[in-house]
Amino acid sequence: MSTPLHFNAFVMNTTSHIHHGQWRRPDAGQTEFTDVNTWINLARTLEAAKFDAMFFADVVGHYGDADADYSVYVNEGLQIPSNDPTVLLGALAVSTEHIGLATTSNVFQSHPFQFARQLSTLDHISGGRIAWNIVTGTQDNGSRNFGLPRLTDHAERYAWAEEYVDVTYKLWEGSWDEGAVVKDRDGSRYSNPAKVHKIHHVGERYTVEGPHLPSPSPQRTPLLYQAGSSASGRDFAARNAEAVFIIAASPEIARQQIEDTRRRAVEAGRAPEDITFYQGLSFVIGETEEEAHRKLAEYEQYASVDGYLAHAALVDPDGRVYPPDTPLSELNTNTQKGFAEWTSKAITDREPVVADVAWRSHRNNRIVGTPEQIADQLEEWQAAGVDGINVINWVIPGSFEEFADKVLPVLRERGLAQSEYAPGTLRQKLFGRDRLPATHPAASYRGAFARDSQREESVPAGA
């Protein structure tokens, strides 16, 4: 029997997320993304279909040249307007029981003390079903929205992310010991002060005293997603991530990326199985192959060339957008480096150009066919090392409803999809444990601040 794949619904709190132009279809409900019931109803549909999680992408600015005309993004609804997914998760948490809920948050958009508090609160509300997709940003405009002159250098962004997650780990894992909450009514003591600690973090970017205000949530640290595919991104994932989102052009490219990241994880002292990998794919489903291709032609009629090119805009060191016909070998860019690197690996019969980055996401990461043909191809992705699929929609909710009704039953027959949820937290469902393993760097803070307090108490006065 095959090992089941995991399935996330890859969505964004916006009109046009990945497949641009599709919002114009009459059956596209994503135009109503500001209506909370759009998401509550979708979450319940996904939960009934036993999807593992809803994975919300997010950005904090428009793509491309921050100083140029940005009307293409507004015309296309291309991730503008968009709403905050972290806020939305609260509504979804109280409207569902089992499905995981993942939010994306950039390291410069929220102070780590505040963000750690928000996610602990959501993890309490949801009973331990929250995940965080850690991102470092790709837009100059997004950086300017938070007072920075431009997007920080690629390598420096990951150094920033390392300190950011370090602060959150200290708060989530080290500030409260196990058993700190006692709820002792007779003794008039809600929590044990000896088990609640300040973290006294002093770093290059942050100074955080603590203690963490929320008590430990069911997972303590939320499940950790990451999507960087560059060398720096893979290093960061190897040290921190539990689930890595990839958009590989083929199973073989996926295999290379997965093997490389797992090798780096071992070098960082973690186990290879501590990290899972989710390939982003969209699906065009037909009862016959001919029907599937007819439906694909309908999608192509709505596809926006301008939208795909604008989404994949690559900028030079001065923030100017490279023309679509620029060879990738000539790029010197601070954004989307991983996508450019893997596009270069995927195209070997000619010189790949900037436009290929856009069209690869549109055309190379979709499966067109019958449910059985789709299942066959998913088996190939699994054989390459992929643990799960981020299902990319054309329209909401129809793409997910069709996948649930037509593809998942075939996958279940082959043992490739779960039929019921395992009990417990999201991490328990996916890894068989509620908390991060001892091999994760966050685990080093368990009890660390209690030991620090004991050492301070043992030092004689005036020493």
Side-chain angles (χ1 to χ4, degrees), residues 220-259:
R220 277 193 179 255
T221 298
L223 194 81
L224 299 170
Y225 281 82
Q226 199 265 344
S229 56
S230 66
S232 297
R234 294 197 299 278
D235 277 338
F236 183 86
R239 290 188 294 270
N240 297 284
E242 298 174 272
V244 175
F245 174 31
I246 62 175
I247 308 184
S250 68
E252 180 54 34
I253 295 294
R255 184 192 304 278
Q256 294 174 30
Q257 187 169 344
I258 291 167
E259 290 178 350

Side-chain angles (χ1 to χ4, degrees), residues 37-90:
N37 290 302
T38 296
W39 300 108
I40 290 173
N41 293 336
L42 177 60
R44 289 172 172 166
T45 295
L46 295 168
E47 188 166 77
K50 307 301 185 292
F51 271 71
D52 291 89
M54 293 179 74
F55 179 178
F56 281 88
D58 195 34
V59 293
V60 292
H62 69 73
Y63 292 85
D65 187 338
D67 295 316
D69 176 65
Y70 57 91
S71 58
V72 62
Y73 301 103
V74 179
N75 285 333
E76 295 287 337
L78 200 165
Q79 303 183 12
I80 178 173
S82 64
N83 291 346
D84 187 339
T86 305
V87 175
L88 179 60
L89 293 199

Side-chain angles (χ1 to χ4, degrees), residues 61-250:
H62 69 73
Y63 292 85
D65 187 338
D67 295 316
D69 176 65
Y70 57 91
S71 58
V72 62
Y73 301 103
V74 179
N75 285 333
E76 295 287 337
L78 200 165
Q79 303 183 12
I80 178 173
S82 64
N83 291 346
D84 187 339
T86 305
V87 175
L88 179 60
L89 293 199
L92 302 185
V94 298
S95 303
T96 56
E97 296 180 37
H98 304 288
I99 194 166
L101 302 168
T103 189
T104 295
S105 185
N106 192 306
V107 297
F108 61 69
Q109 77 182 72
S110 182
H111 191 283
F113 181 85
Q114 168 66 6
F115 182 68
R117 188 184 187 203
Q118 287 178 310
L119 288 211
S120 290
T121 303
L122 286 169
D123 206 51
H124 277 299
I125 291 171
S126 66
R129 293 184 285 128
I130 299 301
W132 171 28
N133 178 34
I134 310 165
V135 296
T136 62
T138 60
Q139 304 111 0
D140 281 340
N141 176 245
S143 298
R144 292 180 184 182
N145 287 334
F146 290 88
L148 299 169
R150 63 179 307 163
L151 186 65
T152 306
D153 175 75
H154 187 266
E156 174 58 25
R157 294 204 303 275
Y158 279 103
W160 184 343
E162 290 286 1
E163 183 181 357
Y164 192 100
V165 299
D166 194 47
V167 174
T168 63
Y169 295 161
K170 289 175 180 177
L171 293 166
W172 287 325
E173 298 291 336
S175 189
W176 289 68
D177 295 341
E178 294 293 335
V181 178
V182 293
K183 299 182 183 179
D184 180 5
R185 287 183 168 87
D186 293 335
S188 190
R189 187 177 64 163
Y190 188 84
S191 300
N192 182 351
K195 293 189 174 185
V196 182
H197 314 287
K198 294 184 176 182
I199 65 170
H200 294 293
H201 174 89
V202 178
E204 183 178 347
R205 293 185 179 272
Y206 301 106
T207 300
V208 179
E209 182 172 278
H212 192 40
L213 294 182
S215 58
S217 68
Q219 296 183 116
R220 277 193 179 255
T221 298
L223 194 81
L224 299 170
Y225 281 82
Q226 199 265 344
S229 56
S230 66
S232 297
R234 294 197 299 278
D235 277 338
F236 183 86
R239 290 188 294 270
N240 297 284
E242 298 174 272
V244 175
F245 174 31
I246 62 175
I247 308 184
S250 68

Side-chain angles (χ1 to χ4, degrees), residues 274-347:
D274 285 349
I275 307 180
T276 53
F277 293 84
Y278 289 73
Q279 168 69 19
L281 292 171
S282 52
F283 301 90
V284 183
I285 309 161
E287 295 297 331
T288 65
E289 190 172 349
E290 292 74 20
E291 181 188 350
H293 282 280
R294 284 198 303 271
K295 292 172 70 173
L296 175 62
E298 293 175 9
Y299 287 127
E300 292 283 11
Q301 289 177 359
Y302 287 94
S304 169
V305 174
D306 289 343
Y308 284 109
L309 290 174
H311 190 176
L314 293 163
V315 298
D316 66 20
D318 295 322
R320 308 291 82 82
V321 173
Y322 281 103
D325 59 353
T326 305
L328 294 185
S329 60
E330 297 179 9
L331 289 188
N332 178 15
T333 184
N334 195 27
T335 66
Q336 304 194 61
K337 294 183 73 170
F339 288 122
E341 289 172 8
W342 290 102
T343 299
S344 296
K345 288 180 178 290
I347 298 174

